[in-house]
Amino acid sequence: AENKPLGKEQWFVLIAAFLGWMFDGLEMGLFPLAARPALRNLMNMPSEAAVGEWYSYLVALFLVGAAVGGLIFGWLGDRIGRVRTMALSIAVYAGFTGCCFFVTAPWQLGMFRFLAALGMGGEWALGVALVMECWPEKLRPILAGVIGAAANFGFLGISVVGLCFEVTIESWRWMMLAGAAPGVLAFLVIAFIPESERWRESV
């Protein structure tokens, strides 16, 4: 099985996992750009100390959410399949990031940040698991590095956006709404990515 030629399904899996991680990086880089203008807007121009306090809450909520999401979506992936769960995780982090467009208070921003982080944590685990189960074992160390690097491409992309467009108290909502765009990837995952044969055999 290790010597079989690579099929297009395996390449689809790798591309989907790469894009999922890349958009994760983009979403993670989005908040450092938009969070402070958002908090100043939502809190009606508070002191920098108040903004910094709420910003630390947002960071903590993201970290907790990502850890919890890895557990929840990892468990779900074992039960309903890698592909459907990965698509769901992408839809979750994209959808709840987009919901930040509508917030009216800092606690709402924190709530949606936590919920989006659930999907990000889930996608990290599922993207790697799906690639490792579909590609030959001898290529897995290289592929793990490729997927891990994908998040940095997302950071690079959002950095370029930050250089070209200043995020202000008037424009931050549109940045959050743009963060919902990766949700399209969820539909592509369902449409084109085959389920892991190893998962099928295990159940």
Side-chain angles (χ1 to χ4, degrees), residues 18 21-26 28 146-156:
F18 185 93
W21 271 64
M22 185 185 76
F23 286 130
D24 269 356
L26 189 146
M28 285 187 287
V146 169
I147 296 170
N152 294 320
F153 283 94
F155 281 119
L156 177 62

Side-chain angles (χ1 to χ4, degrees), residues 1-7 10-11 14 128 131-147 198:
E2 291 291 323
N3 295 321
K4 289 174 61 178
L6 298 175
Q10 290 168 301
W11 287 105
L14 179 60
V128 172
V131 171
M132 296 302 104
E133 291 174 357
C134 293
W135 279 71
E137 185 174 354
K138 64 182 180 180
L139 296 175
R140 290 173 191 168
I142 295 174
L143 294 176
V146 169
I147 296 170
R198 296 194 181 189

Side-chain angles (χ1 to χ4, degrees), residues 31-56:
F31 256 78
L33 282 179
R36 291 184 181 276
L39 290 170
R40 287 197 293 270
N41 180 224
L42 295 171
M43 300 169 70
N44 196 22
M45 303 302 289
S47 66
E48 184 58 32
V51 171
E53 181 179 2
W54 266 103
Y55 185 80
S56 65

Side-chain angles (χ1 to χ4, degrees), residues 14 20 44 47 68 78 89 108 122 124 127 131 133 144 156-157 176 196:
L14 179 60
N44 196 22
S47 66
V68 173
D78 286 339
S89 70
Q108 296 171 354
W124 293 339
V131 171
E133 291 174 357
L156 177 62
M176 297 298 185
S196 165

Side-chain angles (χ1 to χ4, degrees), residues 1-174:
E2 291 291 323
N3 295 321
K4 289 174 61 178
L6 298 175
K8 64 180 181 179
E9 294 84 2
Q10 290 168 301
W11 287 105
F12 285 156
V13 166
L14 179 60
I15 291 169
F18 185 93
L19 291 176
W21 271 64
M22 185 185 76
F23 286 130
D24 269 356
L26 189 146
E27 300 276 358
M28 285 187 287
L30 173 64
F31 256 78
L33 282 179
R36 291 184 181 276
L39 290 170
R40 287 197 293 270
N41 180 224
L42 295 171
M43 300 169 70
N44 196 22
M45 303 302 289
S47 66
E48 184 58 32
V51 171
E53 181 179 2
W54 266 103
Y55 185 80
S56 65
Y57 295 154
L58 295 177
V59 172
L61 287 167
F62 168 78
L63 294 174
V64 173
V68 173
L71 293 173
I72 292 174
F73 283 98
W75 172 84
L76 196 59
D78 286 339
R79 280 150 184 79
I80 69 171
R82 311 295 194 214
V83 171
R84 283 183 288 180
T85 309
M86 186 168 78
L88 179 60
S89 70
I90 294 170
V92 165
Y93 77 64
F96 284 116
T97 299
C99 286
C100 293
F101 177 89
F102 302 101
V103 302
T104 58
W107 69 266
Q108 296 171 354
L109 192 65
M111 177 183 68
F112 286 130
R113 181 60 167 163
F114 173 81
L115 294 172
L118 294 176
M120 292 184 205
E123 203 285 328
W124 293 339
L126 290 160
V128 172
L130 192 57
V131 171
M132 296 302 104
E133 291 174 357
C134 293
W135 279 71
E137 185 174 354
K138 64 182 180 180
L139 296 175
R140 290 173 191 168
I142 295 174
L143 294 176
V146 169
I147 296 170
N152 294 320
F153 283 94
F155 281 119
L156 177 62
I158 199 65
S159 299
V160 171
V161 171
L163 287 173
C164 297
F165 304 98
E166 182 182 4
V167 183
T168 67
I169 60 174
E170 290 82 20
S171 64
W172 68 268
R173 291 184 187 272
W174 297 105

